[in-house]
Amino acid sequence: MNNITIGIATESSWEIDSGYLAEMLSGIQEACDKQGVNLIRITCGFFAHSPHDPYEIQRNILVSNVNPDYLDGLIISATTGHFLDQESRTMLKHLLHKVPTVGIGPVPGIPSVVIDNKQAVKTAMNHLIEHHGYRNIALIRGPQNSEESADRYTAYLSALKEHDIPFRPELVAQGSFFVPSGIEAVREFLDDRKIPIDAIMAANDEMALGAIDELNRRNIIIPYDMAIVGFDDIHQARHIVPPLTTIRQPLKEMGTTAVRMLLEDIAGHKSDNNTVLQAELKIRHSCGCNEMLNESMPQEILSETGPILSIQTRHREEIIDDLKNLNLNSGRPGEDSWEEEFCDIFVSAVADPDAGRFHSRIDTLTRKLIAANTHPGILNKAVSTMRNWFIPRLDSTQEKALLETLLHQTREYISLQSQNAFALNIFRQNREVIVLHRIGNAFISTFDIPRLMDLMAEMLPLLGITGCYLSLYETPEFWEFPDPPPTWSRLILAFNEQGRIDIGKGGIRYKTGELLPAAAFTQAQKKSLTVESLFFRSHQIGFVIFEGGSHRRLIYEVLRAKIASALEGALILASHKESETELKLHKDHLEELVALRTAYLKDELAACTARHEQHGKPRTEDQQDPR
């Protein structure tokens, strides 16, 4: 085995942090290490033009170069074929038969490691319908040319039919298996179609994570306002807020199985059949289930609530004041009085025999506070404050036990939400890196300013930037501090959460000192604006205004540099084109003058020749001197 070298063809390195690929690759690497097989990772693109990057397909020159001279076999991820049409599938079959090849996920004409997608989705749909009673279940489907996507869509339709739920096309949104399409699907459902939804079934975890991020941004509390289920069980799914109920693909096992199949093929024991592995529904919190309900308070003591209610009635204002004091010098988590809600939750839980209601309320509150950047230490101190007020004033051991149970479970929620919020921030940062990379690629190949503005309006919302206003100085120039800025500017891009703002074909000319023209300023979210100067070295170009908090200053700085570089290139090219146009006009004018002069000289020469010929002719009898 020591002389065997196999390859694994996957999407670009910018996508490798995707949990799907990461877990699959770990299984492949582990199997190769165990067998003593050399592994080459071939970074390729999609085997058809990607809607995200039209030049991604250029990476596939490395796949075209696969041959037995350096590679004994190849593993290929089905994700590379998401956008294949039938013609491309035929081409791919021919291309991938140079060496023994195995697919992970269904690859046309190639023995592959697969799962039963239809049964997996039906299991998830049955859980949503039968266990939770959801009826308005939306689907974010995958790419139309993906076999896996088609199977999952078919299973969704089948599950609805089996439960006598009418199919409604408006509950289906087209996705791409990537995070941004999950975000866009939620916007399509809620903003464009405005339809009631109980739950969302996403065809993979990446789109589910995008949907969760957008729902969290809108303060739609999952699962109490809307439930969601994914597919894959990537690493991030376990630590998102809330943890994602999903169909677990055995990704690591799929990687090790693919290596085994490929080595058998290399050894001459090829099988044309797919290997089918089992998927499993992993139930977490996003569907509406809650593991913490297993630790509910003792029901037999709920009738003895008088002392606890009495303490809260007598000391409520003092308790709330103590909770408010915890926030001194630490910043408020928002304008809402969370302290009152925090105090009342415990007392209502004692009086309410439904333990699930306490869990949902404390889960929702702690999640909001953590999302608002409230330090977990403050929340734990709030729990201690409640304990200090109630426990010493209770005589009954049972009452103390009940309250201790509630306080303990609250600490567990705080810990869980803190961990999940941290994991969510890591996930968002990783996605931002990928989006910034794509933005950079798009900008660097764009030298047309109107097209550049279109790209900004299209791509900046992927970073959570809901509003942007870009102005160019009317006379871009080299500048030294503390010289004044150019007097006039022109607004050439304006968009907010509702979309592009009409500023006319040529933009809006206004005085630079106004920052924005009045028409655009009235539509800007003025509560939190960040202004960045656009310059390239010492050449001042203009400035850009982002809607959003200053906590995103690193993102703004990276964007500022990319936007400024792209604008500088576009302006230089425009200047060169203008110079070329002027030169052509001068050239055309000069050629016209030369043509006119040439024509004049030709006429003069012809006249001159005519006169010369006339003088050289002999006189006729009539012209002779009569003398």
Side-chain angles (χ1 to χ4, degrees), residues 42-82:
I42 302 170
T43 303
C44 64
F46 295 104
F47 292 128
H49 285 286
S50 164
H52 309 291
D53 184 348
Y55 305 109
E56 179 81 8
I57 200 170
Q58 294 297 319
R59 295 178 182 273
N60 294 331
I61 190 171
L62 297 177
V63 179
S64 297
N65 191 46
V66 166
N67 66 79
D69 292 339
Y70 78 94
L71 212 59
D72 296 295
L74 179 68
I75 296 173
I76 186 165
S77 169
T79 56
T80 56
H82 282 338

Side-chain angles (χ1 to χ4, degrees), residues 453-510:
M453 297 303 101
D454 290 341
L455 285 173
M456 288 181 62
E458 174 187 334
M459 303 187 80
L460 294 193
L462 299 179
L463 291 169
I465 297 174
T466 56
C468 178
Y469 308 84
L470 191 147
S471 298
L472 297 182
Y473 295 129
E474 195 167 72
T475 53
E477 58 189 34
F478 293 93
W479 183 85
E480 290 186 4
F481 184 77
D483 293 345
T487 304
W488 292 93
S489 294
R490 185 173 295 275
L491 181 70
I492 62 170
L493 170 67
F495 72 84
N496 57 23
E497 209 163 12
Q498 283 71 49
R500 295 287 286 266
I501 298 171
D502 184 12
I503 55 175
K505 188 174 181 180
I508 300 176
R509 184 175 185 259
Y510 67 101

